[in-house]
Amino acid sequence: MLDAQTTEKPLTLVKSKANLRKEVDASGEWTVAQIEALFALPFDQLMFQAQEAHKAHFPEGDVELATLLSIKTGGCPEDCGYCPQAARYDTDVKAEKLMGLEEVLEAAKAAKAAGSNRFCMGAAWREPKDRDIEKVTAMIKGVKALGLETCATLGMLEPDQALALQEAGLDFYNHNLDTSEDFYRSVISTRGYQDRLDTISNVRAAGMSVCCGGIVGMGETREQRAAFLARLANLSPYPESVPINHLVPVAGTPLADQKPLDPLEFVRTIAVARITMPKARVRLSAGRQQLGRAVQAMCFLAGANSIFYGEQLLTTGNPEAEEDRKLLAELGLKTKQSFKAEVLV
């Protein structure tokens, strides 16, 4: 049974797919009410619509494999309530220095050998300093030379920093909105919502693709989940990659005791993301290990077509590569073979 924050709305409030699409086309944007109506559809209808959108834009039905490496772990000055890398929280994560170039390249080679298409580099900074950008650009050039797509998540960026990353060959920059604007201050106080939007604008202006999503299960309501997806879908253009994380509560953080989101509500979130952002790679990110194989399978049916692949994310565990391969094979899903970035602009 769903908890109070995800209670189904009366079916009389649900609009037909045709009416929803007509209203979106006329206004140019998704409204929160329209996205709530999608959430409220009977499960089979929602899944069917998501599968239609998925097959229309990804006829190959392939799954992108991305590897995430924490190149600078811990010691972050932010207060994100979900994050064990925040220096102010007492967790098992300790502050470390930026990794060296050769160590990063060895990890990228291993990721490619294991089948990954994209190599993502994450650093626990509020925003990088110019000297940090110089070191990261060397990493980007090295990873690109291996034939991998590149992605980085380094915190907030100034326009000149975004341009430097683009000139080094960075394909994607990840900067999540995390949640809806009205719930945001319940989770983070050290960085504003507009700060996040500004960084996304700087990334777009520099000519890079955007990887932007968030975390569900932090205590937000269904309406707030709908508002979060509306904000993503109404970005112009919407992100090429949309990572959807399921909160992994970590001891020592403010959200350590947060009640898990109902698994079917998570699947609904994936389906709604697919319908509202049909050309995006919708990625199953943190929390896959806790979801289990059956729920992951439903997420693929709902339109997820990218995963973080390997044993470790930034600081939390991830299903091992062999288990991922086994699950994809059992589901009859192919993996993306091209290393060329998919761009919406």
Side-chain angles (χ1 to χ4, degrees):
M1 175 180 287
L2 297 178
D3 57 32
Q5 71 184 34
T6 57
T7 302
E8 293 282 350
K9 295 198 169 194
L11 292 181
T12 55
L13 296 180
V14 177
K15 301 177 181 179
S16 71
K17 176 178 65 175
N19 287 340
L20 276 171
R21 293 308 316 165
K22 182 177 179 181
E23 291 183 20
V24 171
D25 291 342
S27 68
E29 292 192 345
W30 286 94
T31 68
V32 176
Q34 289 163 352
I35 294 180
E36 281 192 283
L38 286 175
F39 267 104
L41 284 170
F43 192 75
D44 61 338
Q45 292 183 29
L46 177 61
M47 293 287 279
F48 180 72
Q49 289 191 30
Q51 288 172 19
E52 281 191 318
H54 190 193
K55 289 178 181 178
H57 296 283
F58 292 93
E60 294 295 320
D62 59 356
V63 176
E64 175 192 67
L65 304 180
T67 294
L68 176 60
L69 175 69
S70 180
I71 61 173
K72 195 283 175 192
T73 303
C76 182
E78 304 270 33
D79 69 349
C80 305
Y82 52 80
C83 186
Q85 300 202 70
R88 68 191 66 205
Y89 304 141
D90 184 15
T91 69
D92 291 335
V93 177
K94 305 303 179 186
E96 299 176 3
K97 294 181 179 180
L98 182 68
M99 292 174 64
L101 175 60
E102 290 305 317
E103 190 177 2
V104 172
L105 294 183
E106 285 302 312
K109 291 174 185 177
K112 183 176 181 179
S116 287
N117 303 101
R118 187 184 302 178
F119 189 73
C120 306
M121 294 165 277
W125 291 318
R126 172 178 167 79
E127 66 273 308
K129 296 179 174 62
D130 289 342
R131 64 174 181 269
D132 300 321
I133 293 291
E134 291 178 8
K135 294 175 181 178
V136 174
T137 54
M139 296 175 186
I140 293 166
K141 291 174 182 178
V143 174
K144 287 285 286 185
L146 298 174
L148 287 164
E149 290 177 12
T150 53
C151 180
T153 178
L154 314 171
M156 295 183 289
L157 290 182
E158 295 297 327
D160 60 327
Q161 294 177 322
L163 185 59
L165 295 174
Q166 187 275 333
E167 290 176 345
L170 189 65
D171 296 302
F172 290 82
Y173 192 80
N174 167 260
H175 200 66
N176 289 337
L177 292 182
D178 281 352
T179 188
S180 65
E181 188 167 7
D182 68 329
F183 187 67
Y184 184 83
R185 286 299 182 190
S186 300
V187 182
I188 303 162
S189 69
T190 51
R191 186 190 313 186
Y193 209 73
Q194 188 59 47
D195 292 329
R196 293 181 180 271
L197 295 170
D198 289 345
T199 289
I200 293 168
S201 295
N202 292 338
V203 169
R204 281 291 187 208
M208 287 182 286
S209 294
V210 170
C211 177
C212 183
I215 306 171
V216 297
M218 296 191 293
E220 77 284 350
T221 65
R222 174 179 278 186
E223 180 181 9
Q224 288 165 331
R225 278 191 290 282
F228 155 64
L229 291 176
R231 180 61 75 121
L232 286 176
N234 292 333
L235 291 173
S236 184
Y238 54 75
E240 285 85 354
S241 290
V242 181
I244 304 294
N245 298 272
H246 188 289
L247 176 69
V248 179
V250 178
T253 64
L255 293 177
D257 298 321
Q258 179 61 44
K259 179 182 176 183
L261 186 68
D262 184 278
L264 293 182
E265 185 72 5
F266 184 80
V267 177
R268 285 182 180 274
T269 304
I270 297 294
V272 173
R274 168 53 61 212
I275 293 167
T276 56
M277 293 169 279
K279 297 180 181 180
R281 286 278 176 180
V282 177
R283 179 180 301 135
L284 295 182
S285 299
R288 283 202 299 126
Q289 198 169 39
Q290 289 74 17
L291 291 172
R293 287 162 52 86
V295 176
Q296 287 185 68
M298 284 193 288
C299 288
F300 289 125
L301 288 174
N305 61 349
S306 178
I307 60 172
F308 271 132
Y309 175 69
E311 297 182 9
Q312 185 77 17
L313 297 183
L314 291 177
T315 55
T316 58
N318 199 43
E320 293 185 3
E322 186 60 35
E323 288 300 313
D324 284 334
R325 286 280 187 183
K326 182 179 178 181
L327 176 61
L328 294 174
E330 289 179 1
L331 296 176
L333 295 173
K334 299 179 294 183
T335 58
K336 179 185 173 186
Q337 297 302 306
S338 171
F339 291 88
K340 184 178 179 180
E342 298 155 336
V343 182
L344 298 184
V345 291

